[in-house]
């Protein structure tokens, strides 16, 4: 009988679950709400994880005891040291056993995009950060939250876009496609209604605001110079995260450093070339690669590695092979 591994990739917008076996088969997938407890309250972590595990087990026809090892990537993990013990205990409540570990969701992106090999993964989703490993030593850079960090993230791009919209409304900037797209997206009759919409109706929702990054991307595709500048600045910010991580992990300027990426910002066809260009302007040699696996599968791969029985190269290849 095959051995099963569960990967959970939490995020600011959703939580993804993937169950695989030791041959590289994907047995089940599920998606649940965000598990970002800084915004939603601590109870959301166990509620979301319990829902996703139940869904996964239902699809696979097993109970949680049939999961050999699990890895939970929890957004915000490690950013409040007093919460770590309580977060670590959630897996036991959900699985009913101790064959699991928890860490920040950044590990999922790295493990998936590079299949656990040395290198750096940059995340630009609702938030932003990098995580890199070299010879078993890992370093995180960024991820300081939306209020005073997360540069280059979807939230950051969206707030820069909202700022440009207000300036265009006032006449401080010339109105372009960004102004029109934001007005249509927000469905407001008066420009000042954006204040009550975002702050009162949305409650400053991190996910709702971050979703507006797609509007900035649309405006950039239509030639809005301010939208293009926002995306170029975001790419530069992410490249700075990568360069800092390279130095911390000990890669020299002469050795090629494998870099991959995860997060919704990279789903825009125009953003990846901007990021690639920002990397090429740096002094080090970067080998930018498309992600091999998505973060949830990366988490499952990491669970197998932590069990002491990492998947074979053949099994990893099976995982990475597109299925029809």
């Amino acid at each position: 009988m095959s051995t099963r591994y569960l990967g959970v990739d939490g995020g600011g917008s959703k939580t993804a679950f993937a169950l695989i076996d030791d041959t590289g088969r994907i047995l089940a997938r599920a998606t649940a709400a965000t598990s970002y407890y800084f915004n939603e309250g601590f109870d959301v972590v166990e509620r979301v994880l319990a829902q996703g595990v139940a869904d996964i087990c239902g699809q696979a026809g097993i109970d949680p005891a049939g999961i050999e090892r699990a890895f939970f990537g929890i957004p915000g993990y490690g950013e409040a040291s007093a919460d770590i013990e309580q977060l670590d205990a959630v897996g036991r409540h959900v699985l009913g056993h101790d064959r699991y570990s928890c860490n920040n969701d950044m590990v999922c992106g790295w493990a998936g995009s590079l299949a656990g090999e040395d290198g750096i993964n940059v995340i630009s989703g609702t938030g932003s950060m990098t995580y890199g490993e070299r010879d078993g030593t890992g370093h995180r850079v960024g991820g300081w939250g939306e209020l005073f960090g997360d540069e280059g993230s979807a939230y950051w791009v969206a707030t820069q876009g909202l700022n440009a919209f207000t300036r265009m409304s006032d006449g401080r900037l010339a109105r372009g496609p960004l102004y029109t797209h934001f007005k249509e997206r927000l469905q407001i009759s008066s420009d000042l209604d954006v204040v009550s919409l975002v702050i009162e109706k949305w409650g400053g929702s991190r996910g709702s605001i971050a979703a507006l990054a797609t509007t900035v991307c649309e405006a950039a595709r239509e030639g809005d110079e301010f939208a293009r500048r926002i995306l170029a600045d975001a790419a530069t910010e992410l490249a700075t995260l990568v360069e800092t991580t390279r130095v911390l992990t000990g890669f020299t300027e002469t050795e090629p450093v494998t870099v991959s990426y995860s997060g919704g910002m990279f789903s825009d066809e125009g953003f990846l070339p901007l990021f690639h260009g920002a990397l090429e302007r740096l002094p080090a040699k970067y080998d930018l690669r498309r992600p091999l696996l998505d973060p949830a599968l990366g988490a499952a791969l990491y669970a197998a590695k932590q069990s002491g029985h990492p998947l074979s190269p053949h099994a990893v290849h099976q995982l990475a092979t597109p299925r029809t």
Side-chain angles (χ1 to χ4, degrees), residues 34-218:
T34 177
S35 47
Y36 186 64
Y37 73 99
F38 284 0
N39 281 353
E40 306 294 331
F42 199 92
D43 291 345
V44 73
V45 180
E46 184 166 342
R47 183 171 70 250
V48 168
L49 295 188
Q51 175 190 335
V53 169
D55 194 351
I56 283 286
C57 289
Q59 291 180 48
I62 62 172
D63 59 39
I67 298 171
E68 176 62 26
R69 182 85 183 185
F71 177 76
F72 297 102
I74 302 173
Y77 186 97
E79 294 165 14
S81 56
D83 295 342
I84 291 178
E85 184 176 351
Q86 191 174 357
L87 287 171
D88 284 341
V90 169
R92 189 177 308 110
H93 301 157
V94 170
L95 294 174
H97 59 72
D98 293 325
R99 299 189 303 276
Y100 69 90
S101 63
C102 303
N103 207 320
N104 193 279
D105 59 302
M106 65 186 179
V107 177
C108 306
W110 166 78
S113 66
L114 298 176
E117 298 297 324
D118 283 359
I120 299 168
N121 180 68
V122 58
I123 302 169
S124 181
T126 306
S128 68
M129 67 174 74
T130 48
Y131 179 76
E133 281 199 13
R134 183 174 188 268
D135 296 333
T137 300
H139 284 281
R140 159 188 173 158
V141 178
W144 291 93
E146 68 272 17
L147 291 181
F148 45 82
D150 283 352
E151 298 87 352
S153 68
Y155 184 96
W156 187 88
V157 167
T159 55
Q160 296 295 309
L162 283 168
N163 179 261
F165 170 79
T166 63
R167 289 170 177 264
M168 288 178 181
S169 177
D170 284 344
R172 289 177 284 164
L173 292 179
R175 291 185 180 181
L178 184 144
Y179 175 81
T180 304
H181 278 290
F182 261 90
K183 191 141 186 176
E184 291 175 353
R185 174 73 176 269
L186 299 172
Q187 295 185 324
I188 52 177
S189 54
S190 168
D191 291 355
L192 281 171
D193 287 344
V194 70
V195 179
S196 61
L197 175 65
V198 174
I199 296 176
E200 183 180 358
K201 187 174 180 180
W202 291 0
S205 166
R206 189 169 177 253
S208 297
I209 294 170
L212 296 176
T214 58
T215 305
V216 178
C217 294
E218 290 170 5

Side-chain angles (χ1 to χ4, degrees), residues 230-278:
I230 290 168
L231 295 182
D233 288 346
T236 299
E237 292 284 0
L238 296 177
T240 299
L241 293 176
V242 171
E243 174 70 359
T244 305
T245 309
R246 176 193 68 79
V247 174
L248 289 172
T249 48
F251 288 103
T252 67
E253 289 188 1
T254 58
E255 60 183 317
V257 183
T258 305
V259 176
S260 195
Y261 49 89
S262 54
M265 280 304 303
F266 292 106
S267 64
D268 179 76
E269 62 183 16
F271 188 68
L272 186 59
L274 290 174
F275 176 63
H276 190 196

